[in-house]
Amino acid sequence: MGALNLQVTIDQDSGFCFGVVYAIDMAEEILAEDGYLYCLGDIVHNDEEVERLKAKGLRIISHEDLQTLHNEKVLIRAHGEAPETYRTALENDITLIDASCPVVLKLQNRIKTSHDANEKIVIFGKHGHAEVVGLEGQTNGEALVFQDIAELDNAELPEKFTLYSQTTKSTAKFYQIKEELINRGYDIKANDTICRQVSNRDKDLHKFAVNFDKILFVSGKKSSNGKVLFEVCKKFNPNTYFISSTEELDMSIFSPGDKIGIAGATSTPMWLMQEFKNELEKH
Protein backbone atom coordinates (compact mmCIF):
# COMPACT_ATOMS: atom_id res chain seq x y z
CA MET A 1 0.00 0.00 0.00
CA GLY A 2 1.35 3.42 -0.98
CA ALA A 3 1.63 6.62 1.08
CA LEU A 4 -1.78 7.88 -0.05
CA ASN A 5 -3.39 4.74 1.37
CA LEU A 6 -6.09 4.74 -1.31
CA GLN A 7 -8.91 2.22 -0.93
CA VAL A 8 -9.67 1.01 -4.45
CA THR A 9 -12.69 -1.06 -5.52
CA ILE A 10 -13.56 -2.29 -9.02
CA ASP A 11 -17.22 -2.45 -10.04
CA GLN A 12 -17.69 -6.16 -10.69
CA ASP A 13 -20.65 -5.47 -12.99
CA SER A 14 -18.42 -3.41 -15.32
CA GLY A 15 -16.39 -4.86 -18.16
CA PHE A 16 -17.16 -6.68 -21.39
CA CYS A 17 -20.75 -7.47 -22.32
CA PHE A 18 -21.44 -10.99 -23.62
CA GLY A 19 -21.28 -9.83 -27.26
CA VAL A 20 -17.73 -8.54 -26.87
CA VAL A 21 -16.66 -11.61 -24.86
CA TYR A 22 -18.00 -13.83 -27.66
CA ALA A 23 -16.11 -11.91 -30.37
CA ILE A 24 -12.81 -11.84 -28.47
CA ASP A 25 -13.02 -15.52 -27.51
CA MET A 26 -13.62 -16.39 -31.15
CA ALA A 27 -10.68 -14.25 -32.27
CA GLU A 28 -8.29 -15.71 -29.69
CA GLU A 29 -9.24 -19.26 -30.64
CA ILE A 30 -8.39 -18.65 -34.31
CA LEU A 31 -5.25 -16.67 -33.45
CA ALA A 32 -4.02 -19.62 -31.36
CA GLU A 33 -4.58 -21.98 -34.32
CA ASP A 34 -3.55 -19.83 -37.31
CA GLY A 35 -1.25 -17.20 -35.83
CA TYR A 36 -3.12 -14.33 -37.50
CA LEU A 37 -6.66 -13.19 -38.27
CA TYR A 38 -8.13 -10.24 -40.14
CA CYS A 39 -10.76 -8.17 -38.35
CA LEU A 40 -13.03 -5.67 -40.07
CA GLY A 41 -12.57 -2.56 -37.93
CA ASP A 42 -11.47 -2.43 -34.28
CA ILE A 43 -12.76 -5.56 -32.57
CA VAL A 44 -13.80 -3.41 -29.60
CA HIS A 45 -13.74 0.33 -28.92
CA ASN A 46 -10.81 0.08 -26.55
CA ASP A 47 -7.31 0.82 -27.85
CA GLU A 48 -5.54 -1.13 -25.08
CA GLU A 49 -7.48 -4.33 -25.81
CA VAL A 50 -7.01 -3.89 -29.55
CA GLU A 51 -3.23 -3.56 -29.05
CA ARG A 52 -3.18 -6.70 -26.88
CA LEU A 53 -4.86 -8.70 -29.64
CA LYS A 54 -2.75 -7.16 -32.40
CA ALA A 55 0.30 -8.44 -30.54
CA LYS A 56 -1.22 -11.94 -30.89
CA GLY A 57 -1.64 -11.50 -34.66
CA LEU A 58 -4.95 -9.69 -35.13
CA ARG A 59 -4.84 -7.54 -38.28
CA ILE A 60 -7.33 -4.66 -38.37
CA ILE A 61 -8.58 -3.86 -41.87
CA SER A 62 -11.01 -1.33 -43.37
CA HIS A 63 -13.90 -1.91 -45.76
CA GLU A 64 -11.62 -0.63 -48.54
CA ASP A 65 -9.05 -3.30 -47.61
CA LEU A 66 -11.77 -5.96 -47.75
CA GLN A 67 -12.38 -5.19 -51.43
CA THR A 68 -8.84 -6.30 -52.31
CA LEU A 69 -8.60 -9.29 -49.94
CA HIS A 70 -9.12 -12.83 -51.24
CA ASN A 71 -9.19 -16.36 -49.79
CA GLU A 72 -8.75 -15.28 -46.17
CA LYS A 73 -10.65 -15.46 -42.88
CA VAL A 74 -12.17 -12.19 -41.66
CA LEU A 75 -13.83 -11.60 -38.32
CA ILE A 76 -17.02 -9.56 -38.14
CA ARG A 77 -17.06 -7.93 -34.72
CA ALA A 78 -20.03 -7.66 -32.35
CA HIS A 79 -21.25 -4.41 -33.97
CA GLY A 80 -22.50 -6.32 -37.03
CA GLU A 81 -22.22 -5.45 -40.72
CA ALA A 82 -24.32 -4.25 -43.63
CA PRO A 83 -25.41 -6.72 -46.38
CA GLU A 84 -22.77 -5.28 -48.74
CA THR A 85 -19.99 -6.80 -46.58
CA TYR A 86 -21.43 -10.30 -47.01
CA ARG A 87 -21.70 -9.79 -50.78
CA THR A 88 -18.05 -8.72 -50.99
CA ALA A 89 -16.95 -11.74 -48.95
CA LEU A 90 -18.84 -14.09 -51.29
CA GLU A 91 -17.28 -12.50 -54.38
CA ASN A 92 -13.75 -12.63 -52.91
CA ASP A 93 -13.91 -16.16 -51.45
CA ILE A 94 -13.52 -14.75 -47.94
CA THR A 95 -14.56 -16.89 -44.99
CA LEU A 96 -16.43 -14.68 -42.55
CA ILE A 97 -16.11 -15.47 -38.86
CA ASP A 98 -19.35 -13.82 -37.82
CA ALA A 99 -19.23 -12.64 -34.21
CA SER A 100 -22.13 -10.19 -34.61
CA CYS A 101 -23.91 -9.74 -31.30
CA PRO A 102 -27.27 -11.61 -31.28
CA VAL A 103 -28.97 -8.45 -29.98
CA VAL A 104 -27.62 -6.48 -32.95
CA LEU A 105 -28.60 -9.22 -35.42
CA LYS A 106 -32.15 -9.24 -34.05
CA LEU A 107 -32.31 -5.44 -34.49
CA GLN A 108 -30.97 -5.68 -38.04
CA ASN A 109 -33.69 -8.21 -38.89
CA ARG A 110 -36.41 -6.02 -37.38
CA ILE A 111 -35.25 -2.98 -39.34
CA LYS A 112 -35.07 -4.98 -42.58
CA THR A 113 -38.59 -6.31 -42.00
CA SER A 114 -39.87 -2.76 -41.40
CA HIS A 115 -38.09 -1.48 -44.48
CA ASP A 116 -39.44 -4.34 -46.62
CA ALA A 117 -42.93 -3.37 -45.39
CA ASN A 118 -42.28 0.15 -46.78
CA GLU A 119 -42.16 1.76 -43.35
CA LYS A 120 -40.11 4.97 -43.05
CA ILE A 121 -37.21 4.26 -40.66
CA VAL A 122 -35.66 6.73 -38.21
CA ILE A 123 -32.72 5.57 -36.05
CA PHE A 124 -31.49 7.15 -32.82
CA GLY A 125 -27.77 6.47 -33.05
CA LYS A 126 -24.30 7.88 -33.50
CA HIS A 127 -23.42 8.96 -37.04
CA GLY A 128 -20.77 6.70 -38.55
CA HIS A 129 -20.80 4.21 -35.66
CA ALA A 130 -20.11 0.66 -36.88
CA GLU A 131 -23.40 -0.71 -35.56
CA VAL A 132 -25.39 2.17 -37.04
CA VAL A 133 -23.74 1.76 -40.46
CA GLY A 134 -24.84 -1.90 -40.37
CA LEU A 135 -28.39 -0.86 -39.43
CA GLU A 136 -28.56 1.71 -42.23
CA GLY A 137 -27.43 -1.01 -44.61
CA GLN A 138 -30.63 -2.97 -43.91
CA THR A 139 -32.56 -0.05 -45.49
CA ASN A 140 -30.24 0.47 -48.48
CA GLY A 141 -29.07 3.64 -46.77
CA GLU A 142 -32.57 5.15 -46.74
CA ALA A 143 -32.98 5.39 -42.94
CA LEU A 144 -32.65 8.77 -41.28
CA VAL A 145 -30.07 8.70 -38.46
CA PHE A 146 -29.87 11.30 -35.69
CA GLN A 147 -27.89 11.41 -32.45
CA ASP A 148 -29.58 14.41 -30.89
CA ILE A 149 -33.22 15.48 -31.25
CA ALA A 150 -32.09 19.00 -32.20
CA GLU A 151 -30.98 17.49 -35.54
CA LEU A 152 -34.65 16.80 -36.31
CA ASP A 153 -35.77 20.41 -35.82
CA ASN A 154 -35.27 21.24 -39.48
CA ALA A 155 -35.41 17.71 -40.90
CA GLU A 156 -38.13 16.71 -43.35
CA LEU A 157 -39.71 13.87 -41.42
CA PRO A 158 -42.71 11.93 -42.72
CA GLU A 159 -45.89 12.24 -40.64
CA LYS A 160 -45.68 8.52 -39.82
CA PHE A 161 -42.49 6.55 -39.20
CA THR A 162 -40.91 3.73 -37.20
CA LEU A 163 -38.34 4.68 -34.57
CA TYR A 164 -35.44 2.40 -33.65
CA SER A 165 -32.35 2.86 -31.47
CA GLN A 166 -28.72 1.80 -31.55
CA THR A 167 -28.43 -0.94 -28.90
CA THR A 168 -26.02 0.98 -26.62
CA LYS A 169 -27.97 4.24 -26.28
CA SER A 170 -29.51 5.54 -23.05
CA THR A 171 -32.97 4.08 -22.41
CA ALA A 172 -34.11 7.25 -20.62
CA LYS A 173 -33.03 9.43 -23.54
CA PHE A 174 -34.78 7.14 -26.04
CA TYR A 175 -38.10 7.51 -24.21
CA GLN A 176 -37.62 11.27 -23.87
CA ILE A 177 -37.13 11.46 -27.64
CA LYS A 178 -40.19 9.29 -28.26
CA GLU A 179 -42.38 11.55 -26.10
CA GLU A 180 -41.01 14.70 -27.70
CA LEU A 181 -41.72 13.42 -31.22
CA ILE A 182 -45.26 12.40 -30.23
CA ASN A 183 -45.76 15.87 -28.75
CA ARG A 184 -44.65 17.33 -32.08
CA GLY A 185 -47.56 15.51 -33.69
CA TYR A 186 -45.83 12.60 -35.42
CA ASP A 187 -47.44 9.17 -35.70
CA ILE A 188 -44.68 6.93 -34.34
CA LYS A 189 -44.20 3.22 -33.93
CA ALA A 190 -41.36 3.19 -31.36
CA ASN A 191 -39.19 0.12 -30.83
CA ASP A 192 -37.05 -0.01 -27.70
CA THR A 193 -34.12 -1.97 -29.10
CA ILE A 194 -31.58 -1.07 -26.43
CA CYS A 195 -29.58 -4.01 -25.07
CA ARG A 196 -30.80 -4.84 -21.58
CA GLN A 197 -27.29 -5.76 -20.42
CA VAL A 198 -26.36 -2.18 -21.27
CA SER A 199 -29.54 -0.51 -19.95
CA ASN A 200 -29.35 -2.45 -16.66
CA ARG A 201 -25.87 -1.03 -16.10
CA ASP A 202 -27.33 2.37 -16.89
CA LYS A 203 -29.87 1.81 -14.08
CA ASP A 204 -27.56 0.16 -11.53
CA LEU A 205 -24.29 2.07 -11.92
CA HIS A 206 -25.38 4.97 -9.70
CA LYS A 207 -25.63 2.58 -6.74
CA PHE A 208 -21.90 1.92 -7.15
CA ALA A 209 -20.90 5.53 -7.92
CA VAL A 210 -22.35 7.12 -4.77
CA ASN A 211 -20.19 5.00 -2.45
CA PHE A 212 -16.85 6.62 -3.30
CA ASP A 213 -14.95 9.87 -2.93
CA LYS A 214 -13.89 9.66 -6.55
CA ILE A 215 -14.70 7.48 -9.56
CA LEU A 216 -12.32 6.58 -12.37
CA PHE A 217 -14.42 5.68 -15.39
CA VAL A 218 -12.22 3.61 -17.70
CA SER A 219 -13.26 3.58 -21.34
CA GLY A 220 -12.03 3.99 -24.88
CA LYS A 221 -12.74 7.44 -26.30
CA LYS A 222 -14.62 5.89 -29.25
CA SER A 223 -17.09 3.97 -27.08
CA SER A 224 -20.69 5.26 -27.32
CA ASN A 225 -21.67 3.12 -24.36
CA GLY A 226 -18.72 4.53 -22.41
CA LYS A 227 -19.98 8.09 -22.93
CA VAL A 228 -23.47 7.13 -21.71
CA LEU A 229 -22.25 5.32 -18.58
CA PHE A 230 -19.69 8.02 -17.76
CA GLU A 231 -22.53 10.58 -17.70
CA VAL A 232 -24.48 8.31 -15.33
CA CYS A 233 -21.51 8.20 -12.95
CA LYS A 234 -20.90 11.93 -13.25
CA LYS A 235 -24.54 12.71 -12.47
CA PHE A 236 -24.46 10.78 -9.18
CA ASN A 237 -20.82 11.46 -8.30
CA PRO A 238 -19.47 14.79 -9.65
CA ASN A 239 -15.91 13.62 -8.82
CA THR A 240 -15.93 11.22 -11.77
CA TYR A 241 -13.01 11.20 -14.21
CA PHE A 242 -13.01 9.72 -17.73
CA ILE A 243 -9.73 7.95 -18.43
CA SER A 244 -8.49 5.56 -21.10
CA SER A 245 -4.98 4.49 -20.08
CA THR A 246 -2.85 4.46 -16.93
CA GLU A 247 -0.51 6.99 -18.58
CA GLU A 248 -3.30 9.57 -18.23
CA LEU A 249 -3.43 9.16 -14.43
CA ASP A 250 -2.99 12.42 -12.53
CA MET A 251 -2.28 11.47 -8.92
CA SER A 252 -2.71 15.08 -7.77
CA ILE A 253 -6.51 14.67 -7.85
CA PHE A 254 -6.40 12.15 -4.98
CA SER A 255 -6.28 12.84 -1.24
CA PRO A 256 -4.87 10.51 1.42
CA GLY A 257 -7.34 7.79 2.38
CA ASP A 258 -9.66 8.41 -0.57
CA LYS A 259 -12.13 5.67 -1.42
CA ILE A 260 -11.79 5.19 -5.19
CA GLY A 261 -14.26 3.33 -7.38
CA ILE A 262 -13.25 2.01 -10.79
CA ALA A 263 -15.97 1.39 -13.36
CA GLY A 264 -15.95 0.81 -17.10
CA ALA A 265 -17.92 0.45 -20.31
CA THR A 266 -19.12 -2.75 -21.97
CA SER A 267 -15.98 -2.43 -24.12
CA THR A 268 -13.58 -2.07 -21.16
CA PRO A 269 -11.56 -5.20 -20.29
CA MET A 270 -11.39 -6.23 -16.65
CA TRP A 271 -7.60 -6.60 -16.91
CA LEU A 272 -7.33 -2.87 -17.70
CA MET A 273 -9.42 -1.87 -14.68
CA GLN A 274 -7.22 -4.15 -12.55
CA GLU A 275 -4.16 -2.37 -13.99
CA PHE A 276 -5.59 0.95 -12.76
CA LYS A 277 -6.22 -0.54 -9.32
CA ASN A 278 -2.65 -1.84 -9.09
CA GLU A 279 -1.25 1.52 -10.16
CA LEU A 280 -3.33 3.50 -7.65
CA GLU A 281 -2.33 1.20 -4.79
CA LYS A 282 1.37 1.86 -5.45
CA HIS A 283 1.00 5.53 -4.45
Side-chain angles (χ1 to χ4, degrees):
M1 189 66 75
L4 281 175
N5 195 25
L6 300 175
Q7 299 170 60
V8 187
T9 305
I10 296 173
D11 173 25
Q12 291 305 307
D13 290 328
S14 286
F16 290 153
C17 63
F18 72 87
V20 172
V21 170
Y22 178 64
I24 288 174
D25 283 351
M26 202 176 276
E28 291 196 303
E29 196 174 305
I30 293 167
L31 288 170
E33 287 174 12
D34 297 351
Y36 76 98
L37 173 65
Y38 291 99
C39 180
L40 194 52
D42 287 347
I43 191 168
V44 63
H45 286 151
N46 186 278
D47 291 344
E48 280 68 24
E49 180 65 5
V50 169
E51 288 304 315
R52 184 185 74 84
L53 290 167
K54 279 166 81 172
K56 292 188 170 203
L58 193 70
R59 301 174 184 176
I60 308 297
I61 60 169
S62 67
H63 287 84
E64 290 73 25
D65 297 327
L66 189 72
Q67 302 291 333
T68 58
L69 200 66
H70 293 81
N71 305 304
E72 290 285 1
K73 289 179 185 173
V74 175
L75 182 83
I76 290 180
R77 57 203 173 156
H79 303 97
E81 280 293 327
E84 182 60 34
T85 297
Y86 295 87
R87 285 194 286 271
T88 300
L90 201 59
E91 290 164 8
N92 291 7
D93 292 319
I94 290 167
T95 302
L96 290 178
I97 312 300
D98 198 340
S100 299
C101 172
V103 178
V104 173
L105 286 177
K106 185 178 178 183
L107 172 54
Q108 287 185 350
N109 289 332
R110 288 179 69 178
I111 288 178
K112 185 178 187 309
T113 300
S114 289
H115 181 256
D116 290 347
N118 294 317
E119 295 174 14
K120 300 296 182 185
I121 311 294
V122 176
I123 301 171
F124 171 42
K126 181 181 177 183
H127 295 292
H129 186 281
E131 180 190 323
V132 175
V133 171
L135 300 179
E136 286 180 276
Q138 309 307 315
T139 70
N140 296 322
E142 293 171 22
L144 172 67
V145 174
F146 71 100
Q147 56 192 49
D148 189 276
I149 194 150
E151 292 177 44
L152 301 181
D153 290 347
N154 301 311
E156 289 186 25
L157 287 174
E159 287 182 17
K160 182 177 182 179
F161 58 86
T162 303
L163 178 66
Y164 286 99
S165 173
Q166 180 182 338
T167 60
T168 52
K169 283 295 184 185
S170 159
T171 311
K173 192 160 183 190
F174 174 78
Y175 281 101
Q176 284 170 10
I177 286 166
K178 174 191 170 185
E179 290 308 312
E180 173 62 23
L181 290 171
I182 289 170
N183 291 339
R184 292 185 187 187
Y186 294 107
D187 182 358
I188 299 172
K189 182 160 74 174
N191 295 273
D192 175 357
T193 51
I194 294 161
C195 173
R196 282 299 171 260
Q197 195 173 1
V198 171
S199 64
N200 286 344
R201 286 196 193 172
D202 193 336
K203 285 187 296 189
D204 296 340
L205 189 56
H206 73 277
K207 297 172 191 170
F208 177 80
V210 296
N211 293 318
F212 300 92
D213 298 307
K214 296 180 179 77
I215 296 285
L216 285 187
F217 191 86
V218 183
S219 171
K221 293 178 176 68
K222 292 185 246 178
S223 170
S224 293
N225 165 253
K227 291 182 178 72
V228 169
L229 294 179
F230 168 71
E231 290 301 331
V232 172
C233 279
K234 187 90 174 163
K235 179 180 176 183
F236 290 94
N237 188 330
N239 295 315
T240 296
Y241 301 87
F242 190 100
I243 193 162
S244 298
S245 72
T246 51
E247 284 132 41
E248 297 171 10
L249 263 178
D250 176 8
M251 295 307 298
S252 69
I253 66 172
F254 303 111
S255 302
D258 266 353
K259 286 169 66 184
I260 311 297
I262 297 177
T266 54
S267 53
T268 305
M270 189 56 75
W271 65 260
L272 183 58
M273 287 184 279
Q274 186 63 51
E275 204 171 86
F276 274 96
K277 184 176 190 288
N278 296 344
E279 187 61 32
L280 288 171
E281 288 176 343
K282 287 180 192 172
H283 293 272

